Amino acid sequence: MAVTLEHPERVIALEHGELSSRAAAEAYIEKICFKLGPPTLIGAELEWLTVQGECSPSGPLAAPRPQLTALADALGPYAPRSIAPDSPALSLPGGSRVTIEPGGQIELSSAPFAAAAQLCEGLTADARMLRDLLESRSIRTVSAAADADRRPKRVLRLPRYRAMEESFGGIGPFGKLMMCNTAATQVSVDAGTDRGEVTARWNALYTIGPALVAAFACSPELRGAPVGAWASQRMRTWLRLDYARTRPAAESWPDPVAGYARWALDVPLLCVRRPDGVDDGETGWAAPPGATFADWLSGALDDEIGRRPELGDLDYHLTTLFPPVRASGHLEIRYLDAQPHNDWTVPIHVFDALLSSPAVVAEATAVAAPIAGRWLDAARCGLADPEIRAVAVELLTLAAAHAASPAAAREIESAAERCRSGRTPTAELASQPADQQEDRP
């Protein structure tokens, strides 16, 4: 879609990849993080935990994590370059690309589609092919949002993840747990036609977030997490691991485009890439503690880093921000647990319906307004909180009424009934007859 800016005079020339000022950096972020145009496309990212070998009677995750060489061998030309540097990293036939997460989780990132039904069809085909590729080397995917059996262990030895682990490790245990022992279902949507529509869609996604976190929470157990009963241990890790990076004051932004740009520059640096891309094993990519990108841009880190940031550094910094909804040209909705079996289609249809028109966006925002900001309550209590459950049911009922197809409406209605009864997605699957359940984890 076409990229437009309402205030082109703010775009200051960037020469030789250098950032001349904070104003230039903010204008650049606005331009690349919020690509404006009619909202027509939808995409998704699906993550699975992985195991090597047969599943144990003691649990599907009792088996070890796969070796990276085994993953690369199984994936062949579809292997990402993070584990196979010479791989062509081809997309699967349905358009999805494969990536590997730090703990060996495997992810499918879809192509963008004009219709949610097409997206689900493409992802279903690619997920089936991915599973077959992995099983050729005795690697199995597990549809779980949190690893309740294995200690967190990072198998992807890239300098980015080393720096991330070290940074989060100075805060508490949740960083490594998030990196290695959790999986999510993410949905991506267009930002909007203009700044007004972007604001409405952004605010809606944040306002409805707590209710949908509760509606799709299915990770009550996480190995290594501090004691506590949580409906979504996965979301708990995100809320606890690095407040400045994961929980922006988004609800208070009258203009998310400008607000996000300002916020991004003031988030502490997670890492600083070396120009040669090498991790020397000593200083690595570690950033000066507490220093922000704005500090680096202003020259305050000249002694520590020895150079000023360029556009590539800003692009990379933006990938180290993890708010519940991230601006990446489109809007990435990052707050839902990975869903069991093929139930990931349900949240895709829900977001597609709730964002289907400005009127529905406004109605969804109004429905969820009474519980806006209750992220911790939603992650901790889930559907056991009566107010959150009531809003979740009302939102899903609204989504069913505006679904793109009768089949999508039936899926959403079933989820609404499940929420009305207070059942989690995994409990709902377990209650179904054996022949309706997934035959493999």
Side-chain angles (χ1 to χ4, degrees):
M1 66 183 66
V3 178
T4 60
L5 291 171
E6 292 187 1
H7 303 287
E9 67 276 8
R10 295 187 59 200
V11 181
I12 301 172
L14 305 176
E15 298 180 355
H16 309 299
E18 296 180 354
L19 293 161
S20 59
S21 67
R22 177 171 181 134
E26 288 188 10
Y28 178 76
I29 294 171
E30 291 181 12
K31 180 176 69 173
I32 66 165
C33 287
F34 295 90
K35 296 182 179 179
L36 306 181
T40 59
L41 299 177
I42 186 167
E45 296 180 7
L46 308 179
E47 293 177 352
W48 293 271
L49 305 176
T50 58
V51 298
Q52 180 79 53
E54 294 298 323
C55 296
S56 167
S58 60
L61 289 166
R65 302 170 196 267
Q67 296 291 320
L68 296 183
T69 51
L71 284 168
D73 188 36
L75 294 170
Y78 307 106
R81 295 191 179 97
S82 61
I83 63 171
D86 296 327
S87 170
L90 301 178
S91 297
L92 293 170
S96 306
R97 289 191 175 273
V98 181
T99 54
I100 305 296
E101 295 299 305
Q105 308 97 311
I106 198 159
E107 177 182 276
L108 283 183
S109 298
S110 79
F113 287 87
Q118 295 174 340
L119 168 62
C120 293
E121 182 179 351
L123 272 173
T124 297
D126 284 349
R128 186 181 301 112
M129 181 173 177
L130 175 65
R131 187 172 68 179
D132 291 342
L133 288 170
L134 295 176
E135 288 190 350
S136 72
R137 298 298 184 272
S138 298
I139 300 170
R140 295 176 180 270
T141 57
V142 179
S143 298
D147 191 332
D149 297 326
R150 300 176 297 191
R151 296 179 184 275
K153 178 183 178 182
R154 182 166 60 90
V155 299
L156 198 55
R157 300 294 175 183
L158 299 180
R160 168 188 174 96
Y161 295 121
R162 178 185 174 191
M164 186 181 294
E165 183 177 337
E166 291 175 352
S167 176
F168 293 154
I171 300 172
F174 292 104
K176 192 169 184 178
L177 288 168
M178 175 278 293
M179 293 170 64
C180 303
N181 277 36
T182 66
T185 294
Q186 299 180 19
V187 181
S188 294
V189 295
D190 283 330
T193 302
D194 52 35
R195 289 171 94 112
E197 186 170 34
V198 169
T199 298
R201 290 165 69 85
W202 177 274
N203 289 341
L205 290 174
Y206 269 95
T207 303
I208 67 178
L212 295 185
V213 165
F216 294 101
C218 56
S219 54
E221 297 181 3
L222 175 62
R223 173 73 179 271
V227 174
W230 290 70
S232 176
Q233 291 279 5
R234 185 205 63 85
M235 191 61 182
R236 180 192 189 188
T237 68
W238 284 106
L239 295 173
R240 297 293 199 196
L241 67 90
D242 185 346
Y243 185 93
R245 191 175 310 281
T246 63
R247 295 164 68 188
E251 287 87 353
S252 66
W253 288 342
D255 178 2
V257 178
Y260 193 88
R262 289 192 300 268
W263 170 75
L265 294 180
D266 291 328
V267 173
L269 292 164
L270 185 62
C271 57
V272 176
R273 295 183 302 166
R274 287 182 45 163
D276 55 9
V278 173
D279 180 351
D280 62 12
E282 296 179 3
T283 57
W285 287 14
T292 68
F293 195 93
D295 293 331
W296 189 12
L297 183 62
S298 73
L301 305 180
D302 283 356
D303 291 340
E304 291 91 337
I305 298 179
R307 65 181 180 88
R308 298 287 177 90
E310 299 183 351
L311 281 180
D313 297 305
L314 181 52
D315 288 338
Y316 199 82
H317 175 65
L318 294 173
T319 71
T320 68
L321 310 180
F322 307 117
V325 180
R326 181 165 69 182
S328 299
H330 52 272
L331 305 181
E332 297 177 3
I333 305 157
R334 304 171 53 84
Y335 46 70
L336 297 188
D337 283 0
Q339 297 298 288
H341 192 15
N342 292 323
D343 288 353
W344 49 264
T345 61
V346 181
I348 289 175
H349 291 306
V350 167
F351 286 115
D352 183 55
L354 293 180
L355 298 174
S356 58
S357 74
V360 179
V361 168
E363 187 173 353
T365 305
V367 165
I371 63 166
R374 292 184 59 188
W375 297 97
L376 280 170
D377 291 338
R380 186 192 299 272
C381 303
L383 296 171
D385 183 296
E387 186 178 16
I388 293 176
R389 182 174 68 250
V391 171
V393 171
E394 191 170 355
L395 282 175
L396 293 177
T397 302
L398 175 65
H402 295 277
S405 69
R410 286 192 295 272
E411 286 191 28
I412 301 171
E413 288 166 355
S414 178
E417 182 57 34
R418 170 182 62 74
C419 290
R420 188 176 289 108
S421 301
R423 299 191 301 275
T424 67
T426 46
E428 180 76 358
L429 180 63
S431 70
Q432 295 176 359
D435 61 356
Q436 296 181 25
Q437 296 185 32
E438 189 175 13
D439 58 351
R440 287 174 282 189

